[in-house]
Amino acid sequence: MSVHTAKRRLAPADIKALKGERPIVSLTAYTTPVAKLMDQHVDFILVGDSLGMVLYGLDSTVGVTIEMMIAHGQAVMRGSSSACIVVDLPFGSYQESKEQAFRTAARILKETGCSAVKLEGGAEMAETVHFLTQRGIPVLGHVGLMPQLINTTGGYRSLGRSDREVEKIRRDAAAIEEAGAFAFVIEGTVEPLAREITETATIPTIGIGASPACDGQVLVVDDVLGIFTDFKPRFVKHFANLAPVMSEAFATYAEEVKARSFPGPEHTFQLRKG
Ligand code: KIV
């Protein structure tokens, strides 16, 4: 099924309809030029709150603000025309109440023009997901490892190894589907559980560190390009290795400026004679 033949931007319903048809392709993006380069290759672009770590150098996603998400959501919208755009609700902007979640999500939809929001949470967020989806806001869920909960969970480790974890992730996935999400991210979860949930769910599962059994995959763009090198989790593959390329370009620029070989005559404006 080729959903890219249509001129219009893909909608959340198109992403949902891809389940069972072919694997769903997604990446994060935060800027206009990067969104432009990936637009035709992905089904949806996630403006993830991972931007706090990869763009702003924060230790976690907890410090990300609504204003950051709006600015980067607008940038990605300007750089794309066919992918569905989903923007993350940042920590603290939706957990207090379903009304708070609606206000934040509506503001993000209005100010960016994106088609959907993503929020982290399972059974405890089901009422909120239902509230939003019943009021015109498509929601991408996010279960399994939830980076916004780092301060209570204490670390980034794969889940689904104990009966308690398995039961919780199963329950979370079912609750988010039942609440009306069009798909959900499943992060850092062992393969057998990701497979079972994918087979049981009637909406797509989008895996990150959750095995090829999922209906689709998402990765952080800086990981795919090999730009973010602070650490490399097991589930990350560098499809390019741009860090040394960038570093070499900066070093060469510095050398040429110091040697006065840049800018050369071809980069220099002169007065026209006559
Ligand atoms: O913020 C993000 O980029 C995400 C993905 C890693 C799924 O939530």
Side-chain angles (χ1 to χ4, degrees):
M1 173 166 156
S2 173
V3 286
H4 276 293
T5 48
K7 281 272 180 279
R8 71 176 172 84
R9 200 185 266 284
L10 292 183
D14 298 316
I15 306 299
K16 186 175 175 182
L18 284 171
K19 186 171 175 100
E21 296 290 334
R22 64 155 172 80
I24 297 166
V25 184
S26 179
L27 283 171
T28 70
Y30 321 107
T31 64
T32 303
V34 170
K36 250 183 209 164
L37 289 169
M38 77 171 59
D39 187 40
Q40 60 176 307
H41 303 291
V42 299
D43 298 307
F44 74 91
I45 297 177
L46 173 65
V47 185
D49 61 355
S50 50
L51 62 80
M53 297 169 84
V54 296
L55 291 191
Y56 290 88
L58 300 175
D59 283 344
S60 77
T61 56
V62 171
V64 174
T65 64
I66 301 173
E67 287 69 27
M68 285 177 186
M69 297 313 301
I70 289 175
H72 290 281
Q74 290 170 340
V76 168
M77 284 296 293
R78 286 193 286 270
S80 60
S81 59
S82 70
C84 178
I85 308 300
V86 181
V87 176
D88 255 341
L89 300 187
F91 178 72
S93 74
Y94 64 97
Q95 292 94 340
E96 191 180 331
S97 67
K98 53 192 193 306
E99 290 81 7
Q100 183 207 26
F102 183 84
R103 272 194 302 279
T104 305
R107 181 176 167 205
I108 287 179
L109 253 63
K110 279 172 190 282
E111 294 188 28
T112 66
C114 74
S115 313
V117 296
K118 176 166 81 59
L119 59 83
E120 292 181 16
E124 77 288 359
M125 291 308 300
E127 201 186 333
T128 296
V129 172
H130 183 72
F131 193 80
L132 299 189
T133 54
Q134 288 298 300
R135 287 163 179 75
I137 300 183
V139 175
L140 176 65
H142 184 148
V143 304
L145 193 159
M146 298 182 221
Q148 292 183 6
L149 301 186
I150 182 72
N151 287 312
T152 45
T153 55
Y156 303 106
R157 62 174 185 85
S158 59
L159 302 171
R161 293 174 204 282
S162 69
D163 290 349
R164 221 173 109 245
E165 282 174 7
V166 168
E167 207 29 61
K168 174 172 170 21
I169 298 171
R170 262 193 205 132
R171 209 171 349 103
D172 285 348
I176 290 304
E177 172 175 355
E178 172 74 22
F182 68 90
F184 58 90
V185 168
I186 177 163
E187 178 164 358
T189 302
V190 296
E191 174 159 21
L193 181 57
R195 184 178 299 282
E196 179 205 301
I197 288 175
T198 300
E199 284 169 4
T200 312
T202 64
I203 58 174
T205 59
I206 310 297
I208 174 162
S211 87
C214 296
D215 293 305
Q217 298 293 328
V218 61
L219 278 178
V220 169
V221 67
D222 292 55
D223 286 335
V224 167
L225 297 177
I227 298 174
F228 186 74
T229 52
D230 290 1
F231 56 89
K232 181 176 174 291
R234 178 185 167 87
F235 62 82
V236 164
K237 176 173 172 181
H238 291 165
F239 288 81
N241 195 12
L242 295 195
V245 175
M246 292 168 76
S247 186
E248 198 183 318
F250 301 143
T252 307
Y253 168 73
E255 269 167 32
E256 292 192 15
V257 168
K258 286 179 193 159
R260 294 194 188 282
S261 60
F262 176 83
E266 70 277 30
H267 309 116
T268 303
F269 300 105
Q270 299 292 356
L271 283 176
R272 282 201 193 90
K273 290 204 181 101

